[in-house]
Structure formats: C-alpha cells, structure tokens
Amino acid sequence: MLAKAGALRGVCVRAKPNVLAPVRLMSSLSSRGSTCWSRVPTTFAPKTYFASEQFRSFSSGHTVVNMPSLSPTMTKGNISTWNIKVGDKVAPGKVLADIETDKATMEFECMEEGFVSEILVAGGSRDVPVGKPIIVLVDTKEQVGKTNVGSAEAAAPAAAAAKPAAPASPAPSAAPATPAASLPRHNVVTMPALSPTMTSGKISKWNVKVGDRVKAGTLLASVETDKAVMDFEFQDEGIVAKLLVDASSADIKLHQPVMIVVDDPSHVAAFANYNPDAPATTAAATPSAPSAPASAAATTTTASAPSQPAQSSQLPSGRVIASPLAKKIASEKNVSLQGLQGTGPNGRIIQADVLEFVSSGRAQTTATTAAAAQPTQTGAPIYTTVAPLQVAAGEYQSIPHTTIRRITAQRLTEAKQSIPHFYLTTECRVDSLLKLRAHLNASLETKVSINDMVIKAAAAALVEIPEVNSSFHENEIRLYRDVNISVATQTEAGLMVPVIRQVQLKGLKGISADMKELATKAKSRKITPQDMEGGTFTISNLGMFGIKQFSAIINPPQTCILAVGASEERVVANAGKIEIANVMNVTLSCDHRAVDGVLGAQWLKAFKKYIEDPSLMLL
C-alpha cells in the first residue's frame, strides 16, 4: 500500500550464493534510494523480495485493507480517527484515517474504489500491528455489511482455544516422535534475512496453506522485519507439507525452520505430526508396538504413563519441559507452567496444552497453587510477612503515552546509557548579534530569530571543524559533506526533531523560512518521517523559556548536540573597564567515542567566534 507520505514502496534483494548483495530502499515520494550490503544465505539465493501490498482482494468480491507501514521503522501504530464510515464510497486519493506512527501522525490514503463494508478496528485503537486487517471494501452498495470478515476474525481465537480440548485420545503424544530420518524426502525452509540488520522477524500472515503447490515467485508469507513488512518469495517448486510456525509468531530467529516442502502430494500426510523439536528416536513406543493394534498400544501407553517419570513435564531440577511457542504463549498470558501435564512427546508441554489450560480457567490460580505446593525445609527459619502500610493515593489523571513519546523515551534512555557523554560549556557575548538582528528585522519582512542565527553560526563552525559534523557507527565514523541540523521542537505529542538541510548553503532568510515551516508542521502533527531523517548535528534551545544553562542528551548516531541558554545582562570586565554586556551560555554534549575534549573545545571556539562577530558568517 502506498501512503500519502513516507510509505515503503518496495525492497529488492538479488544476490548470488554467499556474496554481498546490495539492498535498495526506495521511497514512494522519491526515486532516490540508499544502498547498503548484506550477506544472503545460500539456501534461498538468488531471490527477489518485495514489500507486501496492504490491499488484498478475494474471489468473493471483497478487499481486506491491512494496517500499512507508513515509515521504515514502523511496526505498529495508533488509529487516531477514521475519516470514513460503513457504507461510504471511497476512491483512490480518499483519506481513510489518521494514523499515529513512531514518527508522526500521517494520513492513510485509499488506493482502491469501492464501498466500506466493515471497519474492523475502532477509532482510537492503540498499538495496531502492521499487517492487521482494519477495514473491508466491497464493489457494490448491496454487498455492504454482508462480508462478515470481522466475525471470522473474532471467532478464530475462540476456535483455536477450543480445538485442543476436543481430542481425548492420547495417540497424538506418540505420533510426533517419528524420527526425521524415516520421513519422505523434503526441504526445510528457514527464516530468511530480509534486511541487512535483521536478526529475527515476525510472520504477520501466511499466504499459503498445507497442500498448496508453490513455485518460484510464490509469496509464501508477509514477514515483519526491523525495517518494514516485506514479502517472503519462494524460489523453488513443491507442495507445502507443514507450516512450522503460526501466523503472528514473533521473534523468529534467522535460519529457524518455518515450513516443510515436499515433491509428491502423497507425502504431505507424513508430516501431519512432524515437530522439529521432537527427539530423533521414539521414547513412548515399545519394540512390540508396530505389531500390536493401535488401540492396544494407546491403552498401554495411557495406563503406564502415571508410573513413568519420563512422561512428566517437570524435571527433578524443577525445569519445565515445554516447546518455545508454549513458553511464549504462557509468558504473554502471564501463566505459570509449573504443575501442568503436557501431551507432547515425553510429556512436553505444547501450544495446545497452554491454550486449553487458559480457556479452562484453571490458569488464574497457578501461581498461588505452585507457591503453596513448595515444601518447607526442616529446620529452616520461619519468617512472618508484614503487609505494607496502605496509604491512600491522591487524585490523578492518567495520560496514555503517545507513540512518539514512548519511542522518544526509549531512544533517549538507550542514548544516555550507551553513549559516553562529556560536556563543554562556554559564555558568548551576544551584543553584536542582537544589534544585527534588530537591524535585519527592521529592514526585512521576514523576522529573524536568535535561534536562526545560532543555527547559522553552528553550521559555519561545522564547516570549519568538520570532524564534529559526524555520526558514530560500530565499525566507522562517518563525516558528512552537507550540514543538516536537527532542531529540537516540543509538541503536544512529544519531542520532535525536524531537520534543516544544507544549512551551510543558506542565508538567515532561508533558515528562518525553513524553521517556521517545519515548526508549524510539527505542531500541527503533519510532519513526515522524511522531515526528521538525515540530521548530522542537533541544537536544543531553551533560552526563550529563561533557562540559563542545561545539558542535552545526544541524538544517536550523531556525535554532538548543542544546548543553548538565555542571554542576560551581566557586569563584565573588558580591558580593565567594567561593562554591562549580554551573555549567553552554551553547552556542547559530545560522544567521547568520536569527539575528544580538544576537538569539542575547538568547535566551541569557532562557534563563539561567529556568535560574537556575526559579520563573519556573511563571508
């Protein structure tokens, strides 16, 4: 789906086995891209991957519209408001909703014609995953309300929870133990690397099912990476025999098996109970089991299970035997697996056991029961737990975090904890700067602010000391030719940092116009991700609030940020005389991994020179 601003049009990866392959990222608003390099696993090379479409049409005459990826780093978003309702006619260009991403609030634009049949996610919904169905479109007015996609979505979790409770026979506990060596010839499809920095991914949805014939070019699944939601394209031929991970499964590691493909359709049934986590040999079956009737074998296994310690889901050490998916579901449901008997191989707790446990209602008391079941050690001291003093809380208003505020908090915390900051402070006399500003404002229609002049002086200092116009990366320090200055701007949604580009080539009038435009877009929540990307240096100015001095947190991967305080009149000594001067404090926060103390001091010296004699900026 192409959105009005910042949507990811596509990602293409073509590579030969075990070679570095260029990855080209393209924006829907520009034909320019950036190229980086990634090693592509030989199992699936050569390949081509394309980002998934957000509109999926079905033969029944309706189109399901999914949550779009409106920025390269977006994984979920908040639907602020719907601009349409059920029964409305829509066409390409119609703004369906305002969606709050991790960057800004953006408009979601329709790319199809039709009528709104269902709205699957209500306005105001938060943390809606990318790829989740949100509305349904139909071709004619008469079809409105007859699609029932929302009912099917709501019924799916209930059906999944009820399904494990149906089989009463213990046969499934022995079936998955078929050794892999005895299975028909098959290919194991693993999780691919769809971006250079991807270490794990989430399968948003499967586009194939067991029994489907696939060939080169078939889109197997939509995979959510650390960059965007992308299509996983197959490069072989065969029949889908088994899907090893469920749709919406998260944190799937690279090269983890996700699917089994066979050549012969008759081999599909052999993988019905295949489990990659199962042991290579069958522990539940006895040597005489193949010659005995199936019912007798099942009866024997059931009767002997209580007396065999190997069938317990808990080892003597206390460790619970459970599949990774079962542990993940238990963690999400806040359910303890202690004491739960599994039905998988050798008593392993599987997904069905956890879902049945949760649906039964017994999971609510698991933690309490497990704590009560712990034996008391003989001779151990007895402690009395005293209830904490209950203090009545005062009245308060709870304000949920916006996506922008939550992401900002996360990134600033990481920056403060991982970047070795040090700080340099100097005083600048701004009498000449204030006189020049007053003269310019009296002569020009466009009013120039002190912040505009600070931006210009910072750009001039960065041209003079280019090592500060840099970013730190794991294997390199990048020095930039253009000076793109990020300016911290406070909005109701949180802190935003729009970027003024190529400041070294602009005059005060151009800087002032760009700053006003970006500030207006930020405060009206119309700013795009492109407006906040590519900064090489950041300025944070609290002088207009009367703050004399402060230290700012570096905006990674940049290496420096300048904190600007208010100017004030002070009594100063100059050539043996006492004078009253306007003085402004500035503090430079530096990343010690890239900028040392001398380099930071040299930059501040250059900045002070341009601030105290602004006519030098005109040269």
Side-chain angles (χ1 to χ4, degrees):
M1 168 59 196
L2 301 182
K4 185 172 183 178
L8 189 68
R9 285 186 60 183
V11 178
C12 179
V13 180
R14 297 181 185 273
K16 296 180 180 179
N18 275 336
V19 296
L20 291 177
V23 181
R24 189 81 171 170
L25 300 178
M26 304 299 296
S27 167
S28 63
L29 300 181
S30 171
S31 61
R32 295 175 295 174
S34 57
T35 302
C36 51
W37 295 89
S38 171
R39 188 168 297 280
V40 180
T42 59
T43 310
F44 300 103
K47 286 186 179 180
T48 302
Y49 305 108
F50 291 97
S52 60
E53 297 288 336
Q54 297 301 334
F55 289 76
R56 294 293 187 189
S57 298
F58 295 84
S59 59
S60 56
H62 68 275
T63 299
V64 176
V65 182
N66 297 332
M67 184 69 167
S69 177
L70 299 181
S71 77
T73 57
M74 176 180 172
T75 58
K76 57 187 176 182
N78 303 335
I79 297 181
S80 301
T81 56
W82 282 108
N83 299 320
I84 44 92
K85 61 183 183 296
V86 173
D88 283 358
K89 184 177 182 179
V90 295
K94 172 69 176 179
V95 177
L96 301 179
D98 294 331
I99 297 179
E100 182 182 343
T101 73
D102 57 336
K103 300 290 187 184
T105 299
M106 304 172 63
E107 294 177 342
F108 177 26
E109 189 173 306
C110 187
M111 299 297 292
E112 298 282 348
E113 291 185 356
F115 295 86
V116 179
S117 178
E118 293 181 73
I119 296 180
L120 306 177
V121 179
S125 297
R126 304 176 61 83
D127 297 333
V128 182
V130 169
K132 178 181 176 64
I134 54 176
I135 63 171
V136 180
L137 303 181
V138 292
D139 297 333
T140 63
K141 185 78 170 180
E142 291 72 19
Q143 294 174 295
V144 172
K146 299 180 181 180
T147 49
N148 295 324
V149 174
S151 302
E153 290 281 333
K163 185 178 179 181
S169 172
S173 63
T178 303
S182 65
L183 292 170
R185 180 180 176 181
H186 60 281
N187 294 325
V188 179
V189 181
T190 60
M191 174 64 82
L194 300 181
S195 79
T197 57
M198 176 180 173
T199 58
S200 63
K202 173 183 177 181
I203 294 183
S204 301
K205 65 174 181 178
W206 283 106
N207 299 323
V208 295
K209 61 183 182 299
V210 173
D212 284 357
R213 178 174 292 275
V214 292
K215 59 182 180 180
T218 300
L219 300 182
L220 300 179
S222 297
V223 178
E224 182 179 321
T225 73
D226 58 335
K227 301 294 184 184
V229 177
M230 303 168 63
D231 277 355
F232 175 20
E233 185 175 317
F234 199 46
Q235 291 295 318
D236 207 339
E237 293 185 0
I239 309 296
V240 178
K242 181 74 172 180
L243 301 179
L244 301 177
V245 294
D246 296 333
S248 300
S249 296
D251 296 329
I252 303 173
K253 302 300 181 184
L254 290 187
H255 312 312
Q256 177 181 331
V258 295
M259 187 176 72
I260 301 294
V261 175
V262 296
D263 297 330
D264 191 336
S266 63
H267 294 164
V268 171
F271 293 87
N273 297 313
Y274 175 76
N275 182 359
D277 296 329
T281 59
T282 56
T286 62
S288 60
S291 60
S295 60
T299 305
T300 303
T301 304
T302 305
S304 60
S307 63
Q308 293 180 2
Q311 296 297 322
S312 173
S313 298
Q314 185 170 343
L315 297 175
S317 61
R319 185 172 70 88
V320 174
I321 307 174
S323 68
L325 182 56
K327 292 180 180 179
K328 176 180 179 295
I329 295 175
S331 176
E332 293 175 348
K333 302 292 186 182
N334 196 23
V335 173
S336 172
L337 299 179
Q338 294 287 343
L340 178 60
Q341 183 64 40
T343 61
N346 299 327
R348 176 190 290 264
I349 299 173
I350 60 177
Q351 175 190 8
D353 300 325
V354 179
L355 293 177
E356 191 277 332
F357 193 43
V358 173
S359 62
S360 67
R362 293 181 289 126
Q364 299 176 358
T365 60
T366 299
T368 306
T369 305
Q374 295 294 330
T376 304
Q377 296 181 357
T378 304
I382 300 176
Y383 299 93
T384 302
T385 302
V386 180
L389 180 64
Q390 299 295 324
V391 180
E395 295 183 0
Y396 64 90
Q397 179 185 4
S398 179
I399 303 176
H401 292 312
T402 63
T403 302
I404 295 174
R405 187 174 296 278
R406 184 168 62 247
I407 296 297
T408 300
Q410 175 186 343
R411 292 177 179 172
L412 290 180
T413 300
E414 292 174 354
K416 190 65 175 176
Q417 292 176 344
S418 62
I419 296 177
H421 288 61
F422 73 92
Y423 310 96
L424 301 172
T425 301
T426 191
E427 295 180 349
C428 302
R429 291 189 61 167
V430 293
D431 299 281
S432 298
L433 186 79
L434 295 177
K435 290 179 182 178
L436 177 60
R437 174 176 175 261
H439 174 70
L440 292 175
N441 287 343
S443 306
L444 301 174
E445 295 181 1
T446 301
K447 303 302 180 182
V448 176
S449 68
I450 293 179
N451 196 53
D452 298 332
M453 306 184 80
V454 168
I455 293 172
K456 181 61 178 176
L462 289 170
V463 172
E464 185 173 331
I465 312 294
E467 293 83 1
V468 178
N469 191 43
S470 60
S471 62
F472 180 85
H473 301 269
E474 183 176 357
N475 298 317
E476 62 182 357
I477 295 174
R478 298 177 185 173
L479 303 183
Y480 296 97
R481 189 174 295 109
D482 288 333
V483 177
N484 300 329
I485 294 185
S486 306
V487 183
T489 304
Q490 185 63 38
T491 68
E492 293 181 359
L495 182 65
M496 294 186 181
V497 192
V499 178
I500 302 178
R501 305 186 186 280
Q502 297 183 322
V503 183
Q504 81 279 11
L505 303 179
K506 296 179 178 178
L508 290 173
K509 186 176 180 179
I511 294 173
S512 178
D514 286 355
M515 190 67 249
K516 288 182 174 67
E517 179 184 0
L518 290 171
T520 300
K521 291 173 69 176
K523 292 177 181 178
S524 63
R525 306 181 76 172
K526 298 297 183 182
I527 200 163
T528 66
Q530 286 78 10
D531 293 328
M532 296 186 287
E533 295 175 351
T536 60
F537 185 88
T538 298
I539 293 176
S540 180
N541 189 348
L542 295 179
M544 64 282 294
F545 299 103
I547 302 300
K548 296 181 180 180
Q549 181 181 338
F550 68 102
S551 300
I553 301 175
I554 295 172
N555 181 21
Q558 298 174 18
T559 57
C560 292
I561 182 172
L562 183 68
V564 182
S567 63
E568 59 178 353
E569 290 186 342
R570 297 184 193 174
V571 177
V572 298
N574 182 23
K577 298 181 180 180
I578 301 299
E579 298 178 352
I580 296 178
N582 289 282
V583 179
M584 178 178 71
N585 283 343
V586 293
T587 299
L588 182 68
S589 303
C590 303
D591 182 347
H592 215 320
R593 299 172 299 178
V595 178
D596 56 28
V598 173
L599 189 60
Q602 290 174 342
W603 186 90
L604 270 182
K605 181 180 179 181
F607 174 79
K608 181 176 180 178
K609 174 181 66 176
Y610 291 114
I611 284 291
E612 295 188 342
D613 189 359
S615 60
L616 296 176
M617 293 188 293
L618 305 178
L619 300 178

